[in-house]
Amino acid sequence: MIYTLTLNPAADLELSVDQLEFNSVSRAIDSRMDCGGKGFNVSRMLKNLGQDSIAMGFVGGATGLRLSNELEAAGIDCQFTSIVGETRTNVTIVEGANARHIKVNQAGPVISESELTRLVESIQQRLQPGDWWVLGGSLPQGVPTSFYAQLVSLIEDAGAHAVLDTSGEALREGIFAGPSLIKPNLEEAQALLELDEEELNSTQAWTQALLAMGAQNLVVSLGKAGALMASEAQLHEFASPSIVEANPIGAGDSMVAGLVWRLSKGESLEQALPYGLACGAATASRPGTELGELAQVEQLLEQCRQIN
Ligand SMILES: Nc1ncnc2c1ncn2[C@@H]1O[C@H](COP(=O)(O)OP(=O)(O)OP(=O)(O)O)[C@@H](O)[C@H]1O
Ligand SMILES: [Mg+2]
C-alpha cells in the first residue's frame, strides 16, 4: 500500500479580477477553490495513474470537511485525524489586466499535543513492512521540526519506506533519520547545504554529501532540465521530455507519485525515474491545478532518457 501524509493542507481559493485596487471593492470575474497539499497532490496523481493510496493528515472544521469530501469524491481513501482548529485557506488574487497576482497563505491551525499523538497512533496501527509512505509539505504550527524525523524512524524501523519531500529544518532533521528517498528540487538542495554557485557545479560532491547525511536514495528535480539521481557511488542524469509548459506548480508532487508508483511495484530507482520525469512533465503541461493523465505519461515516457 502507498500512504500519503499531508500535515498542513489548505483550500486554495483563487479569485480573478480585471484590475486590482487598494482601498476599494473589486468584483471577482471568476473564482475557484482547489484542494492544496503535497500529499493530497500525490494521492490525486496516483489515482490518475490507476494506483490506489490512502491519504492521511490533519483536517479540521468546515474547510477540512470540504477537502476530505472532495478527495473522497475523487475516489481516494481518506483516513484523516480530525483536529479542533480549522484547516487553512490560501487566497490568490489574479489580476488579468497586468498578468500579476497576490498570494496570501493563512497560518493555519495550531496542532495540540493530543492531536499529534492521535496521528502517530493511527500511523503506527497501519505500519506494515514493504509499504511506501510519502511525507510531504510544511509542518503546521505546534508540530516540532523533528516530527518528520520521528516518522521516518518509525516507518523505516517497521521495514516500510519513507519518501520525504519537504524543505528547511524539517528536511535536514528528516534526512538524518535515513529515509528511503528524498526528492528536493535544486533550490531546496542548495539551501539545505548552503552551497554557493561554484559549489553547486560540483554535483558529485554535494549529492554525495546529501547521501552522507542519511538519505538512502536521492532524486534532485531540475524542472524542465530533468533530474539527477544518486545512490551510493553512482550519479546519473536524466532528461525530461519537452512539453509546452502551462503550469509547473505541482510537477514535483507528480514526480514523487510516479516514482513511488513504480518503486512500490518492485522496480529499481533507475527504472522508476523515467516515470517520475514523465509524470512531472505531464502535470507541468496542464493548466491550473490539473494533473497529468496516464495516457499522456505513457506517451512522454519514451523521451525520458538517461543522459549520463
Ligand atoms: N517545463 C517542464 N518541462 C518538462 N518537464 C518538466 C517541466 N517542469 C517540470 N518538469 C518535470 O517535473 C519534475 C519536477 O519538477 P520541479 O523540479 O519543478 O519540481 P518542484 O520544484 O519540486 O515542484 P513543486 O514543488 O511545485 O511540485 C522535473 O524533474 C521534470 O521532470
Ligand atoms: Mg517540490
Side-chain angles (χ1 to χ4, degrees):
M1 178 51 73
I2 301 173
Y3 294 88
T4 66
L5 192 72
T6 310
L7 299 181
N8 203 11
D12 283 323
L13 174 65
E14 187 179 289
L15 301 170
S16 304
V17 296
D18 278 331
Q19 192 94 37
L20 197 57
E21 273 177 63
F22 286 95
N23 305 323
S24 86
V25 177
S26 302
R27 306 238 171 263
I29 49 171
D30 197 9
S31 75
R32 57 175 296 154
M33 183 83 119
D34 287 300
C35 283
K38 291 202 165 290
F40 290 179
N41 287 343
V42 174
S43 275
R44 287 170 52 221
M45 185 66 194
L46 285 169
K47 192 77 211 173
N48 286 4
L49 297 168
Q51 170 68 54
D52 284 339
S53 66
I54 296 177
M56 296 179 71
F58 293 119
V59 291
T63 309
L65 190 64
R66 180 174 182 162
L67 293 189
S68 55
N69 285 344
E70 259 181 54
L71 286 173
E72 268 167 7
I76 293 160
D77 187 352
C78 297
Q79 307 277 333
F80 293 126
T81 300
S82 61
I83 54 169
V84 173
E86 172 97 22
T87 294
R88 66 195 172 130
T89 298
N90 295 338
V91 183
T92 308
I93 303 175
V94 182
E95 185 188 57
N98 295 306
R100 54 183 186 172
H101 72 274
I102 291 179
K103 186 164 200 277
V104 183
N105 287 359
Q106 230 180 0
V110 180
I111 307 300
S112 71
E113 238 172 80
S114 67
E115 288 166 344
L116 201 55
T117 306
R118 269 197 289 122
L119 175 77
V120 173
E121 284 169 358
S122 91
I123 290 172
Q124 277 173 318
Q125 279 164 15
R126 290 172 173 83
L127 287 175
Q128 294 282 346
D131 281 348
W132 287 81
W133 290 77
V134 178
L135 315 178
S138 60
L139 296 174
Q141 302 183 81
V143 176
T145 54
S146 60
F147 188 59
Y148 279 139
Q150 183 190 336
L151 294 185
V152 167
S153 297
L154 278 178
I155 292 164
E156 297 286 339
D157 288 350
H161 307 279
V163 179
L164 185 61
D165 185 12
T166 185
S167 56
E169 190 53 28
L171 176 60
R172 181 192 312 281
E173 294 183 36
I175 295 176
F176 285 124
S180 288
L181 176 66
I182 57 169
K183 190 229 66 73
N185 59 28
L186 194 60
E187 209 184 334
E188 288 158 350
Q190 184 177 11
L192 190 74
L193 295 168
E194 296 175 0
L195 303 172
D196 61 30
E197 291 305 316
E198 204 187 311
E199 289 166 324
L200 200 60
N201 292 329
S202 312
T203 317
Q204 178 79 28
W206 65 257
T207 53
Q208 288 305 314
L210 278 176
L211 293 173
M213 283 170 70
Q216 296 174 46
N217 294 283
L218 168 70
V219 171
V220 182
S221 65
L222 308 170
K224 68 175 175 216
L228 302 169
M229 188 204 101
S231 50
E232 288 168 8
Q234 296 179 14
L235 175 66
H236 298 299
E237 204 180 332
F238 284 73
S240 199
S242 69
I243 47 121
V244 179
E245 185 178 289
N247 184 351
I249 296 170
D253 306 333
S254 292
M255 174 179 234
V256 169
L259 291 172
V260 173
W261 177 43
R262 304 310 295 189
L263 291 170
S264 70
K265 292 182 186 293
E267 291 184 2
S268 67
L269 191 55
E270 279 101 325
Q271 291 169 313
L273 195 53
Y275 287 90
L277 293 157
C279 288
T283 291
S285 75
R286 297 297 181 113
T289 52
E290 272 180 43
L291 302 177
E293 297 283 347
L294 181 59
Q296 190 188 2
V297 169
E298 284 171 340
Q299 184 225 319
L300 291 172
L301 205 52
E302 57 200 48
Q303 287 184 59
C304 301
R305 49 181 215 293
Q306 193 171 328
I307 309 171
N308 58 53

